[in-house]
Amino acid sequence: MTFKLALKNISSKPWRAVATIFVVAVAVSLIFAMLSFSDAVYDYLFQVETAGAGISDITIKTNSTSDRIFGADGIENIEGVDTVVPTLNLFGLYKDDYLSLRGFNKGDYQKLSQMEVVDGDIDALDQNTDNVVIGESMAKAYELSVGSSLEIEMGERKVTFYVVAIAEDSGHFLASSPYTVIGNVKGVSRLIFGEQAVYNEIYIMVKDDVKVEDVIDKILAVETYSQMTVSASQDVEYIQNHTDSMSAPVVIAGLGVYVLAMAFVVLIAFTSLTERKKFVAKLTVVGATKTQILFTFLWEVLILAFGGAVIGSILASGVFALLLKLTLSSTVAFSVSVLKLFLSSSIGFITAVLAVMIPIVTALKSTVRANENEKKSKSVVAVALPIALVLVAIVSVIVEHTAKGGKGAMSMVNLVLVLLAVVVAVPTVLRLVAILLSKVQKSVVQLSAKTVARERRHTRLQILTAGMTVAMLMFMAWSVTTDIFTGYLKEFEDKVFVTNITSSTLENGDIDGILQMEGVKNAIPMVWKQGSIVETGKSQNVNVLGSENTLDIVDFEYITEENTIREKLLENGNVVIDKAYQELYKINVGDKITLDIDGKSATLTVCGIVSHNLFNGNYAVVSLGTLKDMYGMGADTILVVADDASKTADAIRSQYAERNYYSIEALTMYRWDAESLGSVFDLVGTLAFVMAVLVYMVLVAGAVASRPSGEKTRTAFLSAGMSKNTLLGGEVIEYALTGFVAFVVSFGASALMTASLIGALRIFGLYFDFMYSAGTVAIVGAVLTVGYALIPLLAGFKKGYSLKKQSTF
Amino acid sequence: MKDKLAKIIICFILVATLVVTLVACEPDVEPDPAKERKEVVDVFTNTFVKSLDTLWTNVTMSADEMANLPNAGDYILAVEMTKFYADVIDKSPLQTEKINNITKYIASDEGQKIFKAEEFDGNLVFEFMSGVGLTATDVESLVYGGLYKFIESGDTIYSNAIALINQVKSKAGASAQTRQNLDEVLQEMQVGAQSFENAVVDRQNTLKALKDAESGVKTIVSFAYNNAMLFGNGTNKNLITALQTGMLQDASQGEMATYLSSVLDYIEDAVADLEGQVDEVVDALDKVSNIYDKLVVGSGVISDVFTVIEQNKVLPKILPALEDIVSNARGVALKKNGNEYPFISGVTTCLGEGYAIEGDDDSANEIVAYARMFLALAGVEYTATGDTLSSQIAVAKSLVQDLVEVLAGDGTRDSKMNAISVVALLYVDSPSGTMIGDVEVLRVVELYTADLIYDVFKKAYLEYSVNQSLESANAVQNSARILMRFVTGEEVSSVATTFNQQWYENICAQFETKRASEIEACYPSAKADLDKRVDTFFEDGIYALIDIANMTPVALDDEGYVAFDEEVDKLYQEALTAILGREN
């Protein structure tokens, strides 16, 4: 019986049912996307970062303190070593673009990662030393097919290779800058001399139950490899840090949208609350018990929420794929976790049920009479709750910003608390403003203000305020992050990286040669590597800027006095860090930090603090002397500053083609990161826009749907001789007043929430100074306020004014 | 109106259906690799022939068109030979696109420059191979494939050419010049065909032997090719240029050691590849060598293929001994003291900046460098002393003795001639009456000289058979006189006025009989002398070499050289005396 009634209820309001299911479905999809995004990013970054090393545990590479080529004899005898895969990796030019040519010994081609062939035959690699396999993207980019030849240049040497197979863009072929070509070591070595087996990289798989670090130590103890870079093939820490930075904005934006989706569910429930109360009254009158009534509504919401959860689960993969495509790359593969899907559906389902049932349960507590008259006495709780919530929020915000270590988790809590406090308190603010305005002499304003002051239900005001606050926050986040990101990219615009340099680079005058090139402003040899600092609670990945000359190239803001930093940095054992570390991890000048680079560890003293948005402050400046003495490490990169980075990168590429350097614009090197982060920020902006539009649409819908409740009053005014235009003007003023109050409250709340948002980002290891784009916030608020004020005009309220309804009163 | 509309709609649907059907029915144009390869090979054949002469417009000229060519005979030969090469290439594992690239290279200015050089010698062969980007795998496949195919069906080259020449000769329009050229080539082909018949007497067994030893024969070819690319002259001075230019410019000692090690790997890899099939390879190469011995082929690819085999047929036997030597040498040449490689450091210091061995060949520093290299190859550290040095010298002596045994002690004719040749060279300017054991020097030298002249004689007779010029006739006459003097022991003023195959075979038979007996007579003394020299060198001469190696390199003068130093000269002479067994 109750089930049938529920079905009848659903079918009688099909649009309401569809809207509820849709919103629940969207919420479920978003929850799933948020839960899965970080893992997908991690998996993708893992694949990108390990594209070269594959499943190996240890990588041995040449560097500027070692020879450029070496043999691989005897390494298999080192204790703990299971499999050895030596390779020769050279950067050749094909049609003026770099290619990474990776030469393997016969039979080793797939030991690091499998090649998924889409055309041709990988076994043909064994038939000739000049046969190669390329990836699909490269084949497409250069219109190559199986059987095609590639003439690769390295200085004066030109060597032709033949494509025997094309593989999927995974494993070896995941990277596109540069594209990778897999061949035989003897074929690749023709770019240097004859068909000889020499190597510049070795990948090692260690035996089970053997610690990678132990084997690294043993390899480093062998003199041949002691000067080389011997490190773990997978820098999990770096990948995790990178994942966190990529995921944070999306997860936070996604959470915002999820909260909003749930607010819509509540709104849909609320917009029909009057009708539902009447329905409850009718059922009560005909003798239905409270349980029966409750079950009628429960069945209805269960059906709708279940429908939403199911559809959301179906849509989840698509929404997630879309999200990944928008933010990362269409090549990112992901698998659907059943557990996460179940979790997402459950959260969406339960939240929706609660959102709908709570007001109904509240309604059921009222008497039939009360329901019919829509009157409710104010309880003490109803008065005390907003006050308590506002007080708690104020205290919590004060604690967050004053107490040591207050930022982080507390900021996250405050994000919710401030929003809740605002939503709860805004009706009171409106009422106070209305009371003040009711003293105004102008009759229409007075009338509107009195109407507003008498209003007991402020659902739309609360939704408007919440929506406006979140929209302001998201727009502001988009604006600020985009500004930071643009500044970040700008820092790279005039820079060129020349990597893969060797000991002879520093001796044979190549740096002087680069400095003499047209348009080159500066060129410094440096170490450009990933390291990690352990004093950050967990091991925190850091970008090592390994040269004292970095200070001349990057426009740092000096927190510690500049001369002191310049002087101290030259002393061995010192390091300069960003203000972010001071803020996030309370590391100060004079503190000791342990900096790990490529498996080598040293304790350094913080000699100064600077500030720059480079890598979001996630960097450490160390001198070349310190790196050499304490890590046995020489420069691995020449950082060039030039008027035209692209032109200079090409010129270096061409002038030093035979050196096996990899000369590339800094922006190109970080292209994936730049594009992905740009997409993520754009996504935040898009979500902000979509959310603002949805908020507005919901408000319009809410306003239209709640028209009947004020009809008696309006008819009374008209009967009293008020003109339709005056009534419309009054309504516009009423809406404008509501909008204005929401605007003012949201403006203040958004500032507080921005501070909390910045604090909350610390959880992801991100530090930013407080930034607040008041202009952006004001524009978003003003647009929504004006839009809200115009609802009576846009929704054609005037057409609904009628005296005839008087008879029904 | 409705009917009209219905008709239009039906027509539209039909047309649309037809279009869709036609599009759908169009077969996917899948590339046919075999067809594509055939087309590419045809283009290669055409381009190759066209590149040889501007009058040769294509590879399929008719008999009438050929009759108008002044060099029609040459054209026919070129076409037949090119078809032969093309077939070898077609059946080889060369990638189709590579054949295409070879064709392009032949047509390019660079390719034409090499291709039309007056003397297409060994250097140009390597330049050509390098230019077209052939790998060792390609070369071994082409050499083996060419060899196999020639033995299998080389006679068809001659028979096809002879038939075509006769066909063109019958054309009325052929000029006198054309006919003369046709006759010359016809004779060449007839000689070639005859020699092929004489030489390839056991075709099936030879082919079977080659098939059984395919992998080993290919290993020998690729080893020879790699060595030629590394140490060859002309443009392929990889050993030197790799360390002077390109990525390894200013190579460190470690990089040089890596490079040197990878070069030494060639020998070890070759020995590993040959394991278990040395006998098969020796047998196959001997059979090929026997064919080459009797074959009359002019210069060209076929000749080059046989030459490669002839020159490297000893490799399967000596590679294991060489590997032992290399393995021993590796220990010295690549020995590391801290970050220093003493041998590499010792040599590069002598040779100065750039490591170029050029300029003043007599510079003292270079002699010191060579001494250090030689000792390292022998596995002796020039800085070693006492027992270490004695032990190293003993090992080196033993390895060299093993090598001498492989080269000159296995009882075969070639092996015996190796011993005789070495000894003859050492005694070549000794006074008359000097004895090598029981044999007089002159007898050994004469045997060595006659053996060399025998090859000259065979080549001269080939020239004469093809082109009976006065020059070639004189060459045959002179070489035959020397051979007959060796056979009879008396001066021969004239051997014949006209030469034919029967006369030629008679001379060969007489020479070979005499040579065989002389080898038996001279070899024991020659071998004993050789063994004694090895003993003497490792007991005495090597110390002179060590003294040279231990001299401190002298700083270069303003012009970059060091004047020949008297002290070094004295030591150098002592070493030479010890090595040669007499004053230099």
Side-chain angles (χ1 to χ4, degrees):
Chain A
M1 172 69 187
T2 51
F3 185 72
K4 279 185 181 173
L5 266 175
L7 286 179
K8 197 180 169 189
N9 243 357
I10 291 170
S11 58
S12 66
K13 299 283 179 189
W15 286 112
R16 189 179 70 197
V18 168
T20 309
I21 289 172
F22 174 75
V23 172
V24 173
V26 168
V28 167
S29 304
L30 281 171
I31 297 164
F32 176 76
M34 296 313 112
L35 289 176
S36 307
F37 190 77
S38 179
D39 282 352
V41 173
Y42 185 91
D43 289 347
Y44 180 70
L45 288 175
F46 189 86
Q47 284 177 47
V48 170
E49 292 301 322
T50 59
I55 59 162
S56 69
D57 300 304
I58 297 169
T59 302
I60 304 176
K61 286 188 176 178
T62 57
N63 59 42
S64 65
T65 61
S66 73
D67 291 337
R68 288 162 286 192
I69 52 169
F70 55 86
D73 296 335
I75 199 160
E76 67 278 4
N77 299 328
I78 291 174
E79 196 186 336
V81 170
D82 183 42
T83 310
V84 178
V85 183
T87 70
L88 178 65
N89 187 11
L90 299 178
F91 294 105
L93 292 178
Y94 176 61
K95 295 187 173 175
D96 292 332
D97 294 331
Y98 273 122
L99 290 183
S100 167
L101 286 120
R102 303 188 72 203
F104 289 77
N105 284 331
K106 234 177 183 179
D108 281 359
Y109 305 110
Q110 302 202 72
K111 278 188 180 168
L112 296 178
S113 62
Q114 287 293 309
M115 292 188 264
E116 304 296 334
V117 183
V118 291
D119 193 13
D121 178 16
I122 280 183
D123 292 341
L125 277 175
D126 286 341
Q127 288 169 12
N128 209 328
T129 52
D130 55 2
N131 285 339
V132 292
V133 180
I134 61 172
E136 265 185 306
S137 295
M138 180 181 161
K140 199 174 167 189
Y142 295 108
E143 295 180 342
L144 295 168
S145 55
V146 171
S148 299
S149 62
L150 305 141
E151 190 181 61
I152 313 284
E153 293 178 47
M154 197 167 146
E156 289 179 2
R157 287 183 178 265
K158 288 181 185 175
V159 173
T160 306
F161 294 91
Y162 297 86
V163 178
V164 292
I166 293 170
E168 281 178 13
D169 291 329
S170 59
H172 294 301
F173 307 105
L174 197 62
S176 60
S177 181
Y179 288 118
T180 300
V181 175
I182 300 294
N184 185 287
V185 65
K186 290 188 176 177
V188 173
S189 71
R190 291 178 304 156
L191 284 162
I192 319 176
F193 30 65
E195 293 181 57
Q196 283 148 263
V198 296
Y199 315 99
N200 58 7
E201 290 175 359
I202 297 180
Y203 299 92
I204 290 166
M205 279 75 106
V206 303
K207 287 176 181 161
D208 293 342
D209 305 327
V210 174
K211 274 189 175 177
V212 170
E213 295 76 21
D214 293 346
V215 180
I216 288 177
D217 289 342
K218 286 185 178 115
I219 294 170
L220 282 168
V222 177
E223 199 177 353
T224 310
Y225 307 107
S226 61
Q227 296 301 311
M228 292 178 189
T229 304
V230 184
S231 54
S233 295
Q234 290 122 28
D235 190 345
V236 178
E237 211 169 75
Y238 166 71
I239 297 168
Q240 189 58 57
N241 277 243
H242 204 160
T243 303
D244 288 348
S245 339
M246 294 289 297
S247 309
V250 173
V251 172
I252 288 177
L255 278 174
V257 176
Y258 160 71
V259 168
L260 198 75
M262 283 303 118
F264 288 162
V265 174
V266 174
L267 180 79
I268 293 167
F270 268 91
T271 49
S272 56
L273 196 62
T274 311
E275 176 213 331
R276 284 177 192 278
K277 282 180 178 177
K278 284 180 180 173
F279 185 59
V280 169
K282 281 179 189 170
L283 288 176
T284 312
V285 168
V286 296
T289 62
K290 280 193 176 183
T291 313
Q292 283 172 324
I293 296 166
L294 192 68
F295 267 91
T296 305
F297 287 116
L298 190 61
W299 276 123
E300 183 185 338
V301 73
L302 284 176
I303 292 166
L304 295 178
F306 182 75
V310 169
I311 292 171
S313 302
I314 295 166
L315 290 175
S317 302
V319 170
F320 186 43
L322 183 70
L323 179 70
L324 289 178
K325 192 175 180 180
L326 285 173
T327 53
L328 304 177
S329 158
S330 54
T331 57
V332 177
F334 67 93
S335 55
V336 175
S337 157
V338 177
L339 183 68
K340 283 176 184 165
L341 202 57
F342 177 73
L343 198 64
S344 315
S345 327
S346 303
I347 294 171
F349 178 81
I350 292 165
T351 323
V353 171
L354 291 176
V356 174
M357 286 308 289
I358 287 171
I360 290 170
V361 171
T362 313
L364 274 173
K365 283 179 182 171
S366 309
T367 61
V368 176
R369 177 83 186 151
N371 282 339
E372 281 190 320
N373 293 332
E374 292 184 28
K375 283 178 184 169
K376 186 169 75 177
S377 58
K378 269 193 177 180
S379 66
V380 178
V381 175
V383 177
L385 185 68
I387 297 167
L389 201 56
V390 170
L391 286 175
V392 168
I394 290 168
V395 171
S396 184
V397 167
I398 291 169
V399 170
E400 178 199 338
H401 293 286
T402 52
K404 193 180 176 184
K407 286 170 184 158
M410 197 151 190
S411 308
M412 193 70 101
V413 172
N414 281 348
L415 269 175
V416 180
L417 264 182
V418 171
L419 188 64
L420 282 176
V422 163
V423 168
V424 172
V426 72
T428 311
V429 177
L430 177 64
R431 203 168 294 127
L432 287 172
V433 173
I435 290 166
L436 284 173
L437 281 175
S438 62
K439 310 291 178 199
V440 175
Q441 292 304 310
K442 198 167 169 63
S443 61
V444 181
V445 175
Q446 201 176 43
L447 190 66
S448 301
K450 282 180 178 172
T451 309
V452 169
R454 278 200 302 271
E455 185 67 52
R456 288 194 171 192
R457 296 181 40 76
H458 297 283
T459 312
R460 266 181 290 131
L461 168 67
Q462 289 169 315
I463 288 175
L464 174 64
T465 310
M468 196 183 279
T469 308
V470 176
M472 281 174 171
L473 197 67
M474 286 179 73
F475 268 110
M476 206 224 43
W478 172 58
S479 164
V480 169
T481 49
T482 305
D483 276 355
I484 291 171
F485 183 57
T486 309
Y488 180 114
L489 289 184
K490 203 168 174 57
E491 190 60 48
F492 284 109
E493 261 175 12
D494 62 348
K495 306 228 173 13
V496 174
F497 285 112
V498 182
T499 60
N500 214 31
I501 66 169
T502 63
S503 50
S504 69
T505 308
L506 310 174
E507 292 158 10
N508 61 20
D510 286 359
I511 293 176
D512 290 338
I514 292 170
L515 274 168
Q516 282 161 19
M517 283 179 168
E518 193 185 338
V520 172
K521 295 175 187 165
N522 204 349
I524 60 163
M526 65 186 302
V527 170
W528 188 276
K529 276 183 186 294
Q530 296 295 323
S532 59
I533 296 176
V534 293
E535 279 77 8
T536 50
K538 55 170 189 167
S539 189
Q540 169 70 35
N541 190 264
V542 62
N543 294 275
V544 177
L545 309 178
S547 169
E548 54 278 19
N549 293 324
T550 311
L551 302 176
D552 299 328
I553 281 188
V554 182
D555 188 19
F556 293 109
E557 181 193 338
Y558 289 88
I559 309 299
T560 307
E561 205 261 324
E562 180 176 351
N563 288 336
T564 309
I565 284 184
R566 285 183 180 276
E567 194 182 311
K568 294 272 183 189
L569 190 58
L570 288 172
E571 292 171 16
N572 277 3
N574 285 343
V575 61
V576 172
I577 55 167
D578 190 85
K579 189 183 162 193
Y581 283 86
Q582 191 182 31
E583 291 290 333
L584 289 169
Y585 310 111
K586 308 297 169 206
I587 300 173
N588 288 299
V589 174
D591 288 354
K592 304 267 184 202
I593 60 167
T594 309
L595 180 63
D596 287 350
I597 312 172
D598 282 343
K600 292 179 183 173
S601 188
T603 302
L604 306 177
T605 307
V606 177
C607 68
I609 290 174
V610 291
S611 178
H612 197 284
N613 58 20
L614 192 70
F615 301 115
N616 294 333
N618 192 18
Y619 58 82
V621 186
V622 189
S623 72
L624 273 171
T626 298
L627 288 164
K628 190 176 179 190
D629 290 351
M630 304 185 78
Y631 295 87
M633 202 169 275
D636 60 4
T637 301
I638 303 173
L639 183 62
V640 182
V641 186
D643 291 333
D644 185 335
S646 170
K647 207 171 142 189
T648 302
D650 287 348
I652 294 170
R653 185 180 301 187
S654 148
Q655 189 165 327
Y656 299 101
E658 63 186 18
R659 294 278 206 269
N660 198 32
Y661 293 157
Y662 185 61
S663 163
I664 191 165
E665 281 176 80
L667 278 181
T668 309
M669 187 175 245
Y670 288 98
R671 188 171 63 192
W672 185 85
D673 302 66
E675 284 175 357
S676 299
L677 270 173
S679 304
V680 165
F681 296 144
D682 287 347
L683 179 76
V684 172
T686 308
L687 288 177
F689 179 77
V690 169
M691 205 187 73
V693 170
L694 282 175
V695 165
Y696 187 70
M697 284 168 64
V698 166
L699 289 170
V700 172
V704 173
S706 64
R707 291 297 290 157
S709 63
E711 202 170 326
K712 288 177 189 171
T713 316
R714 286 192 299 275
T715 307
F717 283 137
L718 289 170
S719 304
M722 185 181 276
S723 73
K724 285 185 178 180
N725 282 344
T726 310
L727 184 58
L728 182 65
E731 286 211 81
V732 169
I733 291 169
E734 188 186 323
Y735 273 77
L737 182 62
T738 309
F740 176 75
V741 168
F743 174 64
V744 172
V745 171
S746 297
F747 202 100
S750 70
L752 279 177
M753 286 177 74
T754 300
S756 294
L757 179 65
I758 289 171
L761 284 173
R762 292 179 179 223
I763 294 170
F764 298 94
L766 299 172
Y767 167 78
F768 296 101
D769 278 327
F770 178 74
M771 290 164 287
Y772 189 69
S773 175
T776 307
V777 170
I779 290 168
V780 174
V783 168
L784 277 173
T785 304
V786 171
Y788 188 71
L790 293 177
I791 285 177
L793 294 171
L794 298 173
F797 282 7
K798 195 175 168 184
K799 286 179 190 169
Y801 298 157
S802 168
L803 279 168
K804 287 178 190 171
K805 297 279 171 76
Q806 177 72 24
S807 58
T808 61
F809 185 65
Chain B
M1 182 66 192
K2 270 188 174 178
D3 284 352
K4 201 175 172 185
L5 187 66
K7 281 174 189 168
I8 291 170
I9 291 170
I10 289 167
C11 280
F12 178 79
I13 291 170
L14 282 174
V15 170
T17 311
L18 189 65
V19 169
V20 169
T21 311
L22 284 174
V23 170
C25 287
E26 189 181 326
D28 285 342
V29 186
E30 282 287 325
D32 180 351
K35 193 180 165 197
E36 192 192 343
R37 190 172 180 87
K38 189 184 176 309
E39 285 169 3
V40 167
V41 171
D42 286 347
V43 174
F44 162 79
T45 313
N46 223 19
T47 309
F48 192 92
V49 169
K50 279 167 68 178
S51 71
L52 295 171
D53 195 307
T54 49
L55 293 174
W56 302 350
T57 52
N58 61 63
V59 79
T60 53
M61 289 175 86
S62 67
D64 287 328
E65 287 172 323
M66 284 189 239
N68 290 325
L69 293 172
N71 52 0
D74 294 334
Y75 170 78
I76 290 167
L77 176 58
V79 168
E80 286 306 317
M81 290 308 297
T82 307
K83 282 181 178 170
F84 173 84
Y85 305 146
D87 196 48
V88 171
I89 289 173
D90 187 19
K91 291 187 170 60
S92 75
L94 252 72
Q95 303 93 328
T96 302
E97 186 61 18
K98 190 180 280 176
I99 301 171
N100 207 11
N101 287 341
I102 292 173
T103 308
K104 285 179 193 162
Y105 186 78
I106 290 169
S108 71
D109 291 344
E110 203 181 344
Q112 284 292 297
K113 208 171 105 187
I114 295 172
F115 219 58
K116 288 185 174 167
E118 282 185 12
E119 254 189 80
F120 191 67
D121 60 9
N123 288 341
L124 287 181
V125 169
F126 285 118
E127 197 172 328
F128 180 77
M129 286 175 171
S130 183
V132 298
L134 293 184
T135 63
T137 310
D138 297 328
V139 174
E140 68 181 31
S141 300
L142 291 175
V143 170
Y144 177 84
L147 191 64
Y148 191 91
K149 184 173 167 59
F150 184 77
I151 294 168
E152 184 184 39
S153 60
D155 44 352
T156 57
I157 298 173
Y158 303 114
S159 58
N160 288 346
I162 290 168
L164 206 49
I165 288 169
N166 286 330
Q167 192 188 342
V168 177
K169 271 178 76 179
S170 67
K171 297 290 173 187
S175 66
Q177 191 185 356
T178 304
R179 286 180 187 285
Q180 189 190 339
N181 181 256
L182 285 167
D183 285 339
E184 284 168 7
V185 176
L186 180 62
Q187 192 172 358
E188 189 181 338
M189 292 297 96
Q190 284 168 339
V191 170
Q194 186 59 51
S195 80
F196 187 91
E197 196 181 325
N198 295 341
V200 187
V201 289
D202 194 9
R203 190 186 325 230
Q204 293 314 316
N205 274 336
T206 307
L207 290 176
K208 185 177 180 307
L210 270 177
K211 200 77 193 161
D212 291 345
E214 179 175 346
S215 149
V217 171
K218 284 182 172 174
T219 297
I220 294 297
V221 174
S222 63
F223 178 75
Y225 175 72
N226 282 330
N227 276 338
M229 292 302 278
L230 274 172
F231 304 107
N233 293 318
T235 57
N236 295 288
K237 291 178 181 172
N238 270 323
L239 191 63
I240 303 301
T241 55
L243 304 179
Q244 282 183 322
T245 59
M247 180 182 148
L248 292 184
Q249 189 179 27
D250 308 320
S252 68
Q253 288 181 26
E255 287 161 350
M256 283 189 221
T258 300
Y259 181 77
L260 189 58
S261 175
S262 72
V263 170
L264 299 179
D265 284 346
Y266 278 147
I267 293 176
E268 286 166 356
D269 291 348
V271 171
D273 290 347
L274 281 174
E275 198 177 345
Q277 51 173 333
V278 171
D279 292 343
E280 282 93 336
V281 178
V282 169
D283 178 48
L285 296 186
D286 278 346
K287 283 188 162 70
V288 172
S289 179
N290 288 339
I291 288 174
Y292 184 53
D293 210 29
K294 292 173 184 158
L295 201 63
V296 179
V297 286
S299 60
V301 176
I302 299 293
S303 172
D304 289 339
V305 165
F306 275 102
T307 306
V308 167
I309 299 299
E310 188 65 19
Q311 288 175 346
N312 295 289
K313 66 178 184 182
V314 72
L315 279 177
K317 288 183 194 168
I318 67 162
L319 273 175
L322 278 180
E323 189 203 9
D324 290 341
I325 290 176
V326 162
S327 178
N328 188 46
R330 195 187 277 273
V332 172
L334 302 179
K335 186 177 176 181
K336 199 174 178 188
N337 286 343
N339 288 323
E340 182 97 346
Y341 288 84
F343 165 70
I344 290 169
S345 164
V347 172
T348 53
T349 309
C350 294
L351 298 179
E353 207 176 353
Y355 322 110
I357 305 171
E358 58 186 3
D360 186 351
D361 289 336
D362 289 330
S363 95
N365 284 355
E366 283 179 14
I367 291 170
V368 175
Y370 289 138
R372 290 175 181 183
M373 283 192 255
F374 182 88
L375 288 167
L377 187 62
V380 176
E381 287 175 87
Y382 66 89
T383 50
T385 52
D387 290 345
T388 308
L389 182 62
S390 305
S391 160
Q392 287 178 347
I393 289 174
V395 173
K397 182 180 173 184
S398 162
L399 290 170
V400 171
Q401 282 172 332
D402 289 348
L403 183 65
V404 168
E405 282 308 305
V406 172
L407 275 171
D410 73 353
T412 61
R413 189 193 71 198
D414 285 345
S415 161
K416 288 174 178 172
M417 270 312 295
N418 286 339
I420 289 164
S421 303
V422 172
V423 172
L425 281 170
L426 291 169
Y427 282 93
V428 73
D429 55 354
S430 298
S432 175
T434 307
M435 296 296 288
I436 305 171
D438 300 333
V439 189
E440 199 181 342
V441 163
L442 188 62
R443 193 173 176 186
V444 177
V445 173
E446 275 187 353
L447 171 58
Y448 167 70
T449 313
D451 191 59
L452 289 180
I453 295 294
Y454 185 45
D455 288 336
V456 175
F457 169 70
K458 286 195 285 189
K459 194 175 176 189
Y461 181 74
L462 161 69
E463 288 284 328
Y464 174 78
S465 307
V466 174
N467 176 16
Q468 292 172 351
S469 65
L470 184 61
E471 195 183 350
S472 62
N474 283 341
V476 174
Q477 175 78 248
N478 293 338
S479 54
R481 272 172 45 211
I482 298 170
L483 293 184
M484 289 316 292
R485 188 180 66 189
F486 172 74
V487 171
T488 62
E490 294 170 4
E491 283 296 333
V492 178
S493 56
S494 175
V495 285
T497 48
T498 55
F499 318 117
N500 56 32
Q501 188 66 25
Q502 193 185 352
W503 170 85
Y504 169 75
E505 285 172 10
N506 182 37
I507 296 281
C508 290
Q510 285 188 63
F511 170 77
E512 284 175 11
T513 306
K514 176 69 177 175
R515 181 177 65 179
S517 66
E518 283 298 291
I519 287 173
E520 292 311 314
C522 295
Y523 172 70
S525 299
K527 177 66 169 42
D529 187 79
L530 200 58
D531 291 342
K532 190 180 159 199
R533 280 171 187 281
V534 172
D535 288 342
T536 310
F537 174 74
F538 282 103
E539 282 161 15
D540 187 13
I542 196 165
Y543 292 99
L545 214 55
I546 290 168
D547 287 343
I548 295 175
N550 274 296
M551 294 187 73
T552 309
V554 185
L556 301 178
D557 63 18
D558 291 343
E559 292 176 1
Y561 301 113
V562 174
F564 197 77
D565 186 89
E566 276 186 21
E567 192 190 349
V568 176
D569 185 39
K570 189 171 162 242
L571 282 167
Y572 177 62
Q573 293 303 334
E574 279 177 23
L576 267 182
T577 304
I579 296 162
L580 299 174
R582 59 178 172 74
E583 291 288 328
N584 185 28

